[in-house]
Amino acid sequence: MRFNYLSFLIASPASILSVVRATPTTAALPNTATVNLNNSIGATKFLASGFIYGFPDNGTNAQTSIPDYLIKDIKFGATRAGGAQISAPGWASGGYEGGYQKRFESALSNYRSARKYGGAFILLPHDLWGAQGGGAPQFPGDDGNWSEMEKFWNQVIADVKDNDMLDGLVIDIWNEPDGSGFWARSWAQYVEYYVRTTKLIRAALPDVLISGPSTAHSPSLDSENWKAWMSAVAGNQTVPDIYSWHQIGEWEREPDSTVPDFNKLRADYGLPEKPIDVNEYGWNTEQNPANSVYYISQLERHNIRGLRSNWASGSDLHDYMGNLVAKKNGQYVPNGDWQLYKYYAEMVGERLETIAASDPQFDVFAVRERLVLKVIAGTRSLQRNGTITITGLESLGFASSDLIGVRRYRFDWNGPQAEVGKPVDLAFITYRFTEGTINIPFAPPTNTTAFSYEIALRRS
Ligand SMILES: *[C@@H]1O[C@H](CO)[C@@H](O)[C@H](O)[C@H]1NC(C)=O
Ligand SMILES: *[C@@H]1O[C@H](CO)[C@@H](O)[C@H](O)[C@H]1NC(C)=O
Ligand SMILES: *[C@@H]1O[C@H](CO)[C@@H](O)[C@H](O)[C@H]1NC(C)=O
Ligand SMILES: *[C@@H]1O[C@H](CO)[C@@H](O)[C@H](O)[C@H]1NC(C)=O
Ligand SMILES: *[C@@H]1O[C@H](CO)[C@@H](O)[C@H](O)[C@H]1NC(C)=O
Ligand SMILES: *[C@@H]1O[C@H](CO)[C@@H](O)[C@H](O)[C@H]1NC(C)=O
């Protein structure tokens, strides 16, 4: 019997079970997600390791309450904030001193926390304005009067400069303008606001990145909102540096469908290719290891930077890193999803081409570093068996009937406030290489469980 594994993949010999599974042929396997070792899609960037809000405020200073390891070990990449849900109501209701100033200070503290860990900071002016809940007494451009909006932006721009916030800054023109919760005015008024604000920021802060339109609804070919926005953006030369939208909930499809639609619309309006931020992803019930793998796989496949949504309120919004950490006896501890992001952060090397299951409610993300392949797999809220098919092994010299060792880990979830330890190290299993593939069965015990697989790519 031949085993193909690198010794470090088996820390404890007790975990080895030399079970050889028959490998069925690939043709008729339902719910199959595929990894193709032949094709790399570029070096790893940990694109999905962001969250909105989630850092505790600390005056105007960086926070120190959440220990460094919880932030660094997931390779934190970006946060997004603007002082929402604190005692000060924002510019529109409270003016500069009573409404705006404390919100700006909260944003500045979060900016400094993000920069302390090398992450990007995406500023949310709609929160500085105080538009959450749609209840602001005034929106930019009401009655065709833009003077308050200009006063507001001149203040934000001055504060950003005075506080040295330019490094790593993205200004996100307005959050979810397609939802009355954040923009209780017409789409036309939003589009004009977008165009005017972009010109104003570009004139004052030419090096700062702008993102937009950050819609609640992901792009689709029949969206009149997206078409009107693209048309005005093209006509006024106000293309953002980063296109942005949200992917929240099963009703919103997924990047496999929304990115091709977006690219078609972009081509129709002659807009250039630019990076994409999905600057909120995941409904609150979609924040667990299975769904996190699902979103990570979709985002990575399309080279999209992603930030987890944040469903907390009040001071909890400014805490818990977007539901990744819990508090136990006053100490921050990892929850089950954090363990998944930590594993993801350790998936270094080259990202590989992958294909989601055909429906596509099951997905995989895979990387290769030299002779080690790492794969994570998860469903979109479903407890459903499936198969992970790995192709392209013949180019590494594998031949029919070779046995290939696979080490598996399970990622459990017990809710956002439950501490979960390291992923569970499961038995080491070998599979037979047949007809150009190996097929690994996927059988989640719950609809929130994810698995990882480590495979040595060396014939012995
Ligand atoms: C707040 O910032 C100060 C100054 O950097 C720091 O000493 C302190 O530990 C921070 N406190 C919290 C709770 O983050
Ligand atoms: C526009 O709004 C500002 C205050 O927001 C007000 O002072 C000004 O009079 C308004 N202009 C017109 C023409 O109504
Ligand atoms: C520029 O933007 C405005 C909205 O502010 C829009 O009405 C106008 O049609 C746009 N111009 C062009 C040439 O597209
Ligand atoms: C996932 O499982 C939980 C607990 O069994 C259940 O309440 C929930 O409805 C399931 N979600 C879906 C989308 O089936
Ligand atoms: C991988 O590449 C080899 C040639 O190097 C080719 O024979 C095989 O069909 C490819 N497999 C896939 C899945 O692309
Ligand atoms: C899923 O796979 C597991 C493990 O092989 C098996 O016990 C279970 O019956 C399967 N479930 C379904 C619905 O086929």
Side-chain angles (χ1 to χ4, degrees):
M1 195 185 267
R2 265 203 317 250
F3 286 96
N4 294 283
Y5 55 79
L6 298 179
S7 53
F8 79 85
L9 288 175
I10 16 168
S12 95
S15 72
I16 302 177
L17 280 182
S18 32
V19 179
V20 179
R21 295 284 173 86
T23 308
T25 52
T26 50
L29 291 172
N31 198 28
T32 296
T34 306
V35 175
N36 184 357
L37 274 159
N38 280 7
N39 296 339
S40 160
I41 61 162
T44 50
K45 295 181 187 161
F46 318 101
L47 291 169
S49 294
F51 44 82
I52 104 159
Y53 285 97
F55 282 126
D57 289 350
N58 181 25
T60 59
N61 298 312
Q63 70 88 32
T64 60
S65 342
I66 299 179
D68 285 355
Y69 87 94
L70 288 170
I71 301 159
K72 289 182 174 165
D73 287 6
I74 63 159
K75 297 207 170 94
F76 159 74
T79 189
R80 184 170 177 259
Q85 301 194 29
I86 61 170
S87 58
W91 180 278
S93 300
Y96 171 76
E97 220 169 293
Y100 164 93
Q101 209 173 11
K102 287 228 151 30
R103 286 196 170 212
F104 183 82
E105 285 169 8
S106 163
L108 179 56
S109 166
N110 294 169
Y111 169 83
R112 288 178 170 154
S113 295
R115 297 307 292 157
K116 180 174 166 189
Y117 301 101
F121 180 80
I122 303 172
L123 181 65
L124 290 174
H126 81 285
D127 277 332
L128 296 175
W129 182 273
Q132 205 220 5
Q138 190 188 157
F139 279 79
D142 279 355
D143 306 316
N145 183 342
W146 296 92
S147 71
E148 197 61 28
M149 172 279 225
E150 283 164 11
K151 209 170 131 198
F152 167 77
W153 272 109
N154 289 338
Q155 184 68 52
V156 175
I157 288 163
D159 287 342
V160 159
K161 280 185 181 164
D162 290 352
N163 291 287
D164 233 347
M165 277 175 84
L166 298 176
D167 248 15
L169 179 68
V170 178
I171 296 183
D172 193 33
I173 301 290
W174 199 270
N175 179 62
E176 298 196 349
D178 54 340
S180 58
F182 294 98
W183 183 264
R185 294 295 184 268
S186 71
W187 188 251
Q189 187 172 328
Y190 160 70
V191 171
E192 187 170 354
Y193 163 76
Y194 172 89
V195 168
R196 284 172 178 268
T197 301
T198 301
K199 288 179 178 169
L200 207 147
I201 296 170
R202 288 255 159 85
L205 303 170
D207 298 329
V208 166
L209 301 178
I210 287 175
S211 66
S214 295
T215 49
H217 298 292
S218 50
S220 63
L221 294 178
D222 60 2
S223 167
E224 294 308 322
N225 285 349
W226 273 92
K227 289 183 200 170
W229 179 81
M230 284 194 175
S231 168
V233 159
N236 288 281
Q237 291 168 348
T238 50
V239 184
D241 303 289
I242 302 169
Y243 297 111
S244 57
W245 67 79
H246 297 170
Q247 290 283 166
I248 296 174
E250 289 159 58
W251 55 90
E252 283 297 332
R253 303 189 295 166
E254 59 289 309
D256 276 359
S257 313
T258 59
V259 169
D261 279 12
F262 172 74
N263 286 334
K264 167 76 170 60
L265 288 169
R266 194 168 59 68
D268 289 349
Y269 292 96
L271 295 176
E273 188 174 1
K274 298 271 179 183
I276 298 172
D277 277 356
V278 163
N279 56 28
E280 290 188 27
Y281 71 86
W283 183 241
N284 54 359
T285 57
E286 294 179 315
Q287 294 193 324
N288 53 60
N291 284 284
S292 294
V293 169
Y294 184 80
Y295 277 107
I296 287 169
S297 305
Q298 289 279 330
L299 294 166
E300 288 280 359
R301 179 175 301 127
H302 298 283
N303 276 309
I304 298 174
R305 181 166 65 180
L307 282 74
R308 289 163 58 87
S309 305
N310 193 327
W311 298 98
S313 301
S315 60
D316 284 357
L317 176 73
H318 299 249
D319 208 345
Y320 304 115
M321 295 165 58
N323 260 347
L324 286 174
V325 295
K327 233 181 246 175
K328 192 174 147 190
N329 308 323
Q331 298 295 311
Y332 287 96
V333 293
N335 69 24
D337 225 2
W338 185 90
Q339 298 290 358
L340 187 274
Y341 280 80
K342 175 166 192 284
Y343 188 89
Y344 166 54
E346 288 164 356
M347 293 176 75
V348 296
E350 289 288 313
R351 293 174 292 158
L352 298 174
E353 177 184 88
T354 55
I355 305 168
S358 58
D359 53 4
Q361 308 300 308
F362 170 49
D363 215 340
V364 288
F365 172 63
V367 305
R368 176 185 171 188
E369 189 190 31
R370 292 186 288 272
L371 291 178
V372 180
L373 167 65
K374 289 184 180 176
V375 181
I376 48 178
T379 57
R380 196 173 196 182
S381 300
L382 299 174
Q383 185 186 357
R384 185 174 76 177
N385 287 357
T387 305
I388 300 158
T389 292
I390 299 172
T391 63
L393 285 151
E394 61 281 74
S395 49
L396 291 162
F398 285 95
S400 226
S401 302
D402 275 354
L403 296 177
I404 298 171
V406 178
R407 182 161 190 172
R408 301 170 305 146
Y409 295 87
R410 192 185 71 224
F411 295 82
D412 293 329
W413 174 245
N414 229 333
Q417 279 302 317
E419 181 177 18
V420 172
K422 285 184 190 155
V424 180
D425 187 351
L426 301 169
F428 185 87
I429 294 188
T430 61
Y431 296 93
R432 198 175 293 282
F433 180 61
T434 318
E435 295 180 29
T437 69
I438 61 169
N439 294 313
I440 302 174
F442 175 83
T446 75
N447 64 11
T448 58
T449 311
F451 288 91
S452 73
Y453 308 84
E454 296 181 359
I455 300 168
L457 301 170
R458 189 170 62 188
R459 284 189 84 197
S460 58

